[in-house]
Amino acid sequence: MLTAGAATDLKIMIPMIASAVELAVCRDLLTKAAADVGVTPPPLGAMIELPEAVADIEAIAAAADFLSIGSNDLTCQILGLDRRDPAATPAMAAHPDVQQAIAAVVAAAHQHGLLVSVCGDAAAHADVIPLLVAVGCDILSVAPSVVDEVRARVRQLE
């Protein structure tokens, strides 16, 4: 990956990070691997999908080059739902506990000069988009088939 991406805008994101310590271990491994192949280590980010990561978000934001929120997993983890449960809809990301967690991630990221992207179905949900924008999410990562709908929804916001 490092050699194939050496001449590109490669970024590496680690999923299911629970703490800044885990991210530091990943950064050490990445730095060593990059040195072994003679390339500069690419930016390293964390996917925030666990309540433990939200609890350690200040330290994670200080250690990361970028952050992304995995809305499906984070919502299910916070609300105690199984991802396969039909009750686990994108609209559940509007739950106050989930929104509080997302706001904490955004605040920590922005304090450290990082952008926050949101992936998962909530990023394209018409009722959740205004909440994500309101708390300061910088990027909504959505399927190509809904990009126009999401852009239109964002442009309607005041």
Side-chain angles (χ1 to χ4, degrees):
M1 184 168 55
L2 292 171
T3 55
T8 69
D9 187 24
L10 177 66
K11 295 177 183 170
I12 296 176
M13 181 167 48
I14 307 299
M16 293 292 177
I17 285 291
S19 70
V21 171
E22 288 180 357
L23 189 60
V25 169
C26 291
R27 187 171 301 278
D28 287 345
L29 292 170
L30 177 61
T31 300
K32 288 174 187 167
D36 287 347
V37 296
V39 299
T40 302
L44 183 66
M47 176 72 83
I48 307 302
E49 303 167 279
L50 301 171
E52 297 88 346
V54 175
D56 197 28
I57 196 58
E58 292 292 333
I60 291 172
D65 296 316
F66 61 95
L67 296 177
S68 186
I69 296 170
S71 65
N72 296 345
D73 284 315
L74 184 61
T75 299
C76 289
Q77 288 284 323
I78 288 173
L79 300 180
L81 298 171
D82 185 297
R83 280 195 67 171
R84 297 165 295 193
D85 186 333
T89 66
M92 295 300 291
H95 188 283
D97 291 346
V98 177
Q99 285 297 301
Q100 182 179 0
I102 292 171
V105 171
V106 170
H110 289 176
Q111 180 180 338
H112 291 279
L114 305 178
L115 297 178
V116 178
S117 64
V118 178
C119 351
D121 298 325
H125 192 281
D127 294 333
V128 179
I129 290 170
L131 300 173
L132 297 173
V133 171
V135 297
C137 294
D138 302 293
I139 301 162
L140 302 177
S141 178
V142 300
S145 61
V146 296
V147 167
D148 289 340
E149 289 176 45
V150 171
R151 283 181 179 160
R153 181 70 173 118
V154 169
R155 287 179 181 139
Q156 292 172 350
L157 300 175
E158 294 181 16

